[in-house]
Amino acid sequence: MLKTILVAASLLTTTAATAQMANPCPGGTTPATIRHNRIKPGQWATFAKAVAAHNAWYVSHQDPTRTTLVRVLTKGASGPAVTDTEAVTITRYVSAKAQPPRDAAYSAFIDLYRQSSDIADETRVCLPKG
């Protein structure tokens, strides 16, 4: 539980730090954050709305950074099944410029994430460009 709280707090601080630093990744790759999220019961649509609002915030600031929503498969009785209780988001930081200033729209999508999910795990990676 403490880890989840600390990771959630780091969402607000480390995202800006990552977006503001020079690309530390090897050639042909870009920094990214991968988050494994536990979706609260009945909150899938709100979580998807948070991801859309997250991307809209970057677009409104002419920042090419994007967050991709990835569905998670679980073992079902008849094979793999898509779950609404977990999701993965991948945020690719494609700009070395400083993150746009946080504003009401930023707070709104963060509130949607908090309302709809808890971060189970987060890691920083170097993803291939493309």
Side-chain angles (χ1 to χ4, degrees):
M1 179 68 163
L2 179 59
K3 180 181 177 187
T4 300
I5 292 168
L6 293 174
V7 169
S10 73
L11 170 65
L12 298 176
T13 58
T14 58
T15 300
T18 301
Q20 292 175 2
M21 68 181 165
N23 183 351
C25 294
T29 64
T30 188
T33 300
I34 299 175
R35 292 182 183 91
H36 175 213
N37 307 276
R38 303 249 186 250
I39 310 303
K40 294 176 182 176
Q43 293 296 309
W44 180 263
T46 302
F47 186 80
K49 184 177 175 181
V51 174
H54 191 168
N55 283 320
W57 180 77
Y58 279 116
V59 168
S60 73
H61 290 88
Q62 292 79 46
D63 187 316
T65 297
R66 295 294 178 269
T67 298
T68 303
L69 176 56
V70 181
R71 299 302 301 256
V72 173
L73 295 173
T74 60
K75 269 189 168 181
S78 59
V82 174
T83 181
D84 286 344
T85 62
E86 295 179 70
V88 171
T89 58
I90 303 171
T91 302
R92 289 178 180 259
Y93 305 100
V94 293
S95 174
K97 69 180 184 176
Q99 183 181 46
R102 295 176 183 172
D103 54 18
Y106 182 93
S107 295
F109 78 74
I110 291 297
D111 287 345
L112 288 172
Y113 279 128
R114 288 180 178 152
Q115 174 187 336
S116 63
S117 66
D118 294 307
I119 297 174
D121 194 22
E122 175 180 293
T123 191
R124 309 285 178 192
V125 299
C126 297
L127 286 179
K129 290 181 180 179

